[in-house]
Amino acid sequence: MVKFSREYEASIIPEWKAVFVDYKCLKKLIKRIKIARRDAGPPPLLAAGETGSSYGFSVLDPVRSIAARFAAHHAAASSPEGEEESLESDSGELVRSTDKHEQEFLEKADEELDKVNKFYATQEAELLARGDALIEQLRILADVKRILADHAAASSRRGRGRALGRANSMPPPSPSVNGSSGRHLLSGLASPQSMSDGSVELQQARVAEGAAVAEEVMAALERNGVSFVGGGLAKAKKDGSGKQLMGRAALLQLPATVRIDIPPTSPGRAALKVWEELVNVLRKDGADPAAAFVHRKKLQHAEKNIRDAFLALYRGLELLKKFSSLNVKAFTKILKKFVKVSEQHQATDKFSEKVKRSPFSSSDKQVLQLADEVECIFLRHFAGNDRKVAMKYLKPQQPRNTHMITFLVGLFTGTFVSLFIIYSVLAHVAGIFSSTGSPTYMDIVYHVFSMFALISLHVFLYGCNLFMWKSTRINHNFIFDFSSSTALTHRDAFLMSASIMCTVVAALVINLFLRNAGATYTDALPGALLVLSTGVLFCPFNIFYRSTRYCFMRVMRNIIFSPFYKVLMADFFMADQLTSQIPLLRHMEFAACYFMAGTFRNQAYETCTSSPQYTHLAYVISFLPYYWRAMQCLRRYLEEGHDINQLANAGKYVSAMVAAAVRFKYAATPTPLWMWMVVISSSGATIYQLYWDFVMDWGFLNPKSKNLWLRDQLILKKKSIYYVSMMLNLALRLAWAQSVMKLHLGRVESRLLDFSLASLEIIRRGHWNFYRLEHEHLNNAGKFRAVKTVPLPFRELETD
């Protein structure tokens, strides 16, 4: 049976750990009470040999014990004054010692109860306010969609009627809300160009029609609690029909309105926002009602934002219910232990009643009611009254742990080891890696299979990261905004790594067999392996971890077009991984050149290594990861209120680009001047990177920390691990020093050295990943962020 303390520690919400009941501390206080009571126990009243027999237990011992107690009490009453004071002093000290520990326990328990109550009340108020705001947003969305749909239908009917009674030369009526242009206004007006065409009567009709739509929309928004400055609508209602047009004219100049505010997180949304601002600028002449430009896509984005906000709200309510139940259970368990040790039944009963009357224990009805209401709303508005679909989003099922994945990992690993041994023996017999061996094999096969080997190593280290994050309860799925039902586990990552290496080594063995047999087009096998891997990556069927593959491609798209997409945690985390995979990108460049250009037919290896175009492309590829990462920093600088740290972070990647450029120049012209330039630029970039690793990414080197040169909060128990990790990161950051060393190596040794250095950089990155997410997790825990905040689409906009 698992102890409750372990179950409790494994069940608490990691980001809220600081505000849960400190069960371990209260348990230690109970242990002190137990030790104090044991030490304060009554001394033996009858010593062996004084009275009675010393040869074991006698039936008269209970009677003798009672008589001895009465005798001791009588002796204490008739003792001298000094002895009485001494006895009272000794017994009083013991009682005070026991009462001290019990009082300390009750005071600590009361502090914990107050801490839990304050946090629960704060979270409950925030969630209830968020729920009210979301319900209002949903009402606004429903009213806007209904009004626009009604006026679209009415406009379509009127358009057909006008077309029947109008001459062929007359222009068609104004486009409907759902017209072919795909654009409409919240007030239902036509575009400025259409307002300038046609007769004056048609323009007045369009203005009146748009004003009528605007009046109804504004009235619906006011019914939902959105107030407006100007009051043109109310004035129009109070005046007669003769002043109705003036009321509409007043409505045209409303200084405040409601707009659908969708953040420009993608190029499409950014273009839409620019077009919206352009349209609003063109409408400053008062020809149209003062309303925000609405695109059909914007309504869809607004609906999606509201849906995501409801999901986040439901997640927060579920966490708050879990917080309440776990703390109630913890107080119940610890009070049972306390009354068992101290026998303070009255104090325990009073504290138990206080716990039952506490807000976190008694006021969860509002949370339960709101959770039920969110379920009903989501079921009706976002799931089409399909409860199975609604629960799929609200309560996603955790993937079942199956032993099949573990079995496959072992199978592929064993197969990989066996095939690698076979390949090593065959390569040694064939003399592939000897000085007299054919250089063509190493030149061609090395790039392709090194590429897959580096990918497999990186995936394996990511699996190690997943295992460590799970073991230390770092909520990486929340940090990366991954769905828990489709996110990779460490077993999945190990399976991917083992299967990749098994396939690669099998292809190596087959390629070597074909080469020794004298078969033609043996170099086409690596190309077939590339085609197979590309097909698996883009496979549309729900096999081979489709959700993970699509997520990877989406993140890579965001990185490549990084200035135009909102930068999320997963985006810049993956971009950091790419900065450690520059050799992989170089191998991909060669593979693309070699196979796509068709040079495998004549094995012209120099075509993809000696041409100036190839050299320039290699130069660009070495820059790309740093460039993408710098662009992400600039995007975050603009979005996060001009945070100067983002500019400093971008400077780190610029310094890395400068150091890479100098090393390329030194490789082309190895003169002493450029060697010193390499040392200076690379040393500066390394110092910059080490400072950012230790201080900004890991949170170390804090001189005021209680842990020497670390940070106050550490997840790993042994501090020495952190110091060793810092030294290891420093050593691996200096791998560039081999570029200035004059090492005279053969072709095979040079390839092995390059592959070893690339592998060490990937190992350093995998080691860096754990501490980066540990620091991010502690930041979330410090701010009690356990649920993401989704921006609401509808907001009041004040204009000049």
Side-chain angles (χ1 to χ4, degrees):
M1 183 177 180
V2 182
K3 290 185 178 181
F4 173 73
S5 57
R6 294 182 181 178
E7 179 185 352
Y8 178 73
E9 290 294 329
S11 301
I12 61 176
I13 303 165
E15 291 80 7
W16 294 353
K17 184 178 181 180
V19 291
F20 271 83
V21 177
D22 195 348
Y23 189 82
K24 284 186 177 180
C25 180
L26 295 177
K27 198 174 179 181
K28 289 180 181 178
L29 293 178
I30 289 179
K31 191 175 182 179
R32 290 182 188 176
I33 297 172
K34 188 176 181 179
I35 294 174
R37 282 188 168 272
R38 183 188 63 192
D39 295 341
L45 298 175
L46 290 175
E50 290 184 0
T51 58
S53 175
S54 59
Y55 298 98
F57 177 77
S58 173
V59 294
L60 298 177
D61 283 349
V63 180
R64 291 170 183 166
S65 177
I66 295 174
R69 289 185 180 182
F70 278 107
H73 180 72
H74 178 71
S78 59
S79 62
E81 185 176 356
E83 289 184 353
E84 182 177 355
E85 290 179 357
S86 176
L87 183 62
E88 288 179 357
S89 176
D90 292 340
S91 63
E93 183 179 357
L94 291 174
V95 171
R96 283 196 299 272
S97 176
T98 304
D99 289 342
K100 173 185 176 182
H101 291 298
E102 293 173 0
Q103 187 65 26
E104 184 180 0
F105 172 83
L106 292 174
E107 289 177 356
K108 181 62 178 177
D110 193 65
E111 290 179 4
E112 295 295 315
L113 180 63
D114 185 60
K115 175 184 71 175
V116 171
N117 279 329
K118 287 182 179 179
F119 180 78
Y120 183 87
T122 303
Q123 291 294 319
E124 183 184 38
E126 291 180 0
L127 290 175
L128 292 178
R130 184 74 172 178
D132 293 340
L134 276 177
I135 292 174
E136 292 299 321
Q137 292 273 320
L138 188 62
R139 289 174 181 171
I140 293 173
L141 178 65
D143 280 349
V144 170
K145 291 173 68 176
R146 177 184 56 81
I147 294 169
L148 292 176
D150 292 345
H151 280 273
S155 178
S156 178
R157 290 193 298 268
R158 286 194 298 269
R160 287 195 298 268
R162 291 170 184 170
L164 292 175
R166 187 178 301 154
N168 293 332
S169 59
M170 293 294 293
S174 62
S176 63
V177 178
N178 295 323
S180 60
S181 63
R183 299 187 297 269
H184 55 74
L185 297 178
L186 187 62
S187 58
L189 292 193
S191 61
Q193 182 180 358
S194 65
M195 291 295 294
S196 62
D197 298 335
S199 61
V200 178
E201 292 81 3
L202 182 58
Q203 293 182 10
Q204 292 178 353
R206 289 173 179 174
V207 172
E209 179 185 350
V213 181
E215 289 176 4
E216 189 170 353
V217 171
M218 300 302 174
L221 296 177
E222 288 179 350
R223 287 196 302 270
N224 286 291
V226 180
S227 59
F228 297 92
V229 183
L233 180 62
K235 291 179 181 179
K237 286 186 177 181
K238 289 183 179 180
D239 294 342
S241 58
K243 294 185 179 181
Q244 185 71 20
L245 188 57
M246 294 180 61
R248 290 171 182 168
L251 183 64
L252 303 183
Q253 299 176 356
L254 281 175
T257 185
V258 167
R259 68 182 295 171
I260 303 179
D261 189 17
I262 305 297
T265 57
S266 64
R269 293 186 181 183
L272 183 61
K273 190 175 183 64
V274 172
W275 176 247
E276 172 190 352
E277 298 297 333
L278 178 62
V279 170
N280 289 336
V281 168
L282 293 176
R283 289 189 177 139
K284 284 186 177 180
D285 56 356
D288 297 336
F293 176 78
V294 177
H295 193 278
R296 185 183 304 161
K297 287 291 184 181
K298 293 191 71 174
L299 280 179
Q300 295 176 359
H301 291 320
E303 188 171 3
K304 183 179 182 298
N305 279 15
I306 294 175
R307 186 199 66 180
D308 293 343
F310 270 110
L311 290 175
L313 175 63
Y314 190 81
R315 169 69 175 164
L317 294 171
E318 290 293 316
L319 292 180
L320 196 59
K321 289 192 292 184
K322 183 180 181 180
F323 176 82
S324 174
S325 62
L326 282 177
N327 282 291
V328 169
K329 192 173 182 180
F331 274 117
T332 303
K333 291 284 186 180
I334 204 67
L335 289 177
K336 285 182 179 180
K337 291 180 179 293
F338 174 71
V339 73
K340 183 179 180 180
V341 172
S342 65
E343 299 179 357
Q344 297 285 342
H345 294 279
Q346 185 176 2
T348 305
D349 292 341
K350 289 182 179 179
F351 197 86
S352 298
E353 289 297 324
K354 187 176 181 181
V355 171
K356 291 179 181 179
R357 294 192 303 268
S358 297
F360 80 95
S361 178
S362 60
S363 68
D364 59 346
K365 294 183 179 179
Q366 293 181 341
V367 174
L368 294 174
Q369 182 179 359
L370 181 58
D372 293 339
E373 188 175 354
V374 170
E375 282 189 15
C376 295
I377 290 174
F378 197 90
L379 178 66
R380 184 170 62 253
H381 291 277
F382 303 107
N385 290 324
D386 190 340
R387 184 168 183 81
K388 185 177 180 180
V389 174
M391 290 300 106
K392 178 182 177 181
Y393 289 98
L394 294 174
K395 295 181 179 180
Q397 297 294 327
Q398 298 294 330
R400 295 181 179 179
N401 293 327
T402 174
H403 295 292
M404 179 57 67
I405 295 180
T406 306
F407 168 75
L408 291 177
V409 170
L411 177 64
F412 283 120
T413 303
T415 307
F416 158 68
V417 173
S418 302
L419 290 174
F420 186 78
I421 294 174
I422 295 173
Y423 173 76
S424 301
V425 173
L426 291 177
H428 178 71
V429 171
I432 293 296
F433 300 113
S434 64
S435 57
T436 59
S438 174
T440 308
Y441 180 82
M442 283 296 297
D443 291 339
I444 298 172
V445 177
Y446 165 76
H447 292 281
V448 176
F449 293 106
S450 294
M451 178 176 63
F452 285 103
L454 294 177
I455 292 175
S456 177
L457 177 61
H458 211 141
V459 173
F460 173 77
L461 291 173
Y462 181 66
C464 296
N465 291 145
L466 292 175
F467 176 76
M468 288 299 300
W469 291 332
K470 181 181 179 181
S471 301
T472 53
R473 292 183 57 77
I474 294 176
N475 195 354
H476 62 280
N477 286 335
F478 172 70
I479 294 174
F480 291 136
D481 197 15
F482 290 162
S483 173
S484 58
S485 60
T486 58
L488 281 183
T489 64
H490 63 279
R491 293 185 181 89
D492 298 324
F494 292 152
L495 176 60
M496 294 174 63
S497 175
S499 60
I500 291 172
M501 285 310 301
C502 182
T503 306
V504 169
V505 178
L508 277 173
V509 173
I510 296 173
N511 182 71
L512 196 56
F513 269 118
L514 294 176
R515 178 177 291 273
N516 293 335
T520 57
Y521 299 113
T522 56
D523 294 332
L525 186 61
L529 188 61
L530 288 173
V531 172
L532 176 63
S533 61
T534 306
V536 171
L537 179 62
F538 292 96
C539 179
F541 303 108
N542 193 13
I543 55 176
F544 303 126
Y545 303 102
R546 184 179 65 175
S547 59
T548 301
R549 291 187 284 109
Y550 281 15
C551 178
F552 171 76
M553 289 188 288
R554 183 171 59 252
V555 170
M556 289 301 300
R557 178 206 62 188
N558 295 349
I559 292 174
I560 294 173
F561 301 101
S562 54
F564 307 106
Y565 282 92
K566 181 179 176 62
V567 183
L568 304 178
M569 178 68 187
D571 298 334
F572 67 78
F573 187 83
M574 177 60 72
D576 281 327
Q577 310 305 305
L578 292 179
T579 59
S580 297
Q581 284 283 19
I582 292 178
L584 170 65
L585 299 179
R586 298 288 305 278
H587 292 317
M588 292 177 64
E589 175 201 11
F590 174 82
C593 173
Y594 189 78
F595 291 104
M596 293 180 64
T599 55
F600 65 90
R601 295 181 179 178
N602 52 18
Q603 297 182 352
Y605 172 76
E606 292 78 9
T607 305
C608 293
T609 56
S610 303
S611 62
Q613 293 82 3
Y614 181 88
T615 305
H616 296 159
L617 185 60
Y619 187 79
V620 172
I621 286 179
S622 300
F623 274 13
L624 277 179
Y626 300 116
Y627 167 78
W628 290 332
R629 194 64 186 89
M631 291 298 102
Q632 288 179 338
C633 294
L634 294 179
R635 171 72 185 242
R636 294 186 66 188
Y637 170 76
L638 297 176
E639 288 184 343
E640 298 178 5
H642 300 284
D643 185 6
I644 196 65
N645 288 330
Q646 297 300 329
L647 283 182
N649 197 12
K652 179 187 70 172
Y653 296 104
V654 171
S655 69
M657 285 192 286
V658 172
V662 174
R663 285 198 293 269
F664 264 99
K665 183 63 177 177
Y666 174 71
T669 56
T671 61
L673 174 63
W674 283 108
M675 185 189 70
W676 283 109
M677 292 293 293
V678 168
V679 172
I680 294 173
S681 60
S682 298
S683 299
T686 300
I687 294 173
Y688 203 157
Q689 292 164 355
L690 286 173
Y691 170 80
W692 206 269
D693 286 343
F694 295 150
V695 178
M696 305 303 294
D697 291 336
W698 293 0
F700 294 162
L701 301 183
N702 184 4
K704 298 181 181 180
S705 173
K706 61 182 180 182
N707 303 310
L708 183 62
W709 295 110
L710 298 177
R711 51 175 128 82
D712 291 337
Q713 293 182 327
L714 301 174
I715 291 183
L716 300 180
K717 295 181 180 180
K718 294 184 179 180
K719 299 180 185 178
S720 58
I721 297 178
Y722 292 96
Y723 296 114
V724 172
S725 298
M726 294 172 69
M727 293 297 103
L728 182 62
N729 188 68
L730 171 62
L732 295 179
R733 279 286 190 186
L734 296 175
W736 57 266
Q738 60 86 25
S739 62
V740 298
M741 298 180 181
K742 297 296 184 179
L743 300 177
H744 300 285
L745 301 175
R747 181 184 297 269
V748 176
E749 290 79 5
S750 177
R751 298 294 190 190
L752 291 177
L753 178 62
D754 293 341
F755 180 79
S756 300
L757 292 176
S759 300
L760 287 176
E761 173 58 23
I762 294 174
I763 292 173
R764 187 200 67 81
R765 180 60 62 182
H767 170 259
W768 176 90
N769 290 342
F770 174 78
Y771 298 104
R772 177 65 183 90
L773 248 68
E774 179 194 19
H775 189 212
E776 186 70 21
H777 171 77
L778 292 175
N779 287 338
N780 289 338
K783 299 177 182 178
F784 306 112
R785 284 197 300 250
V787 180
K788 67 176 183 178
T789 302
V790 181
L792 301 181
F794 295 104
R795 67 181 179 90
E796 186 173 334
L797 174 69
E798 294 186 1
T799 59
D800 297 332

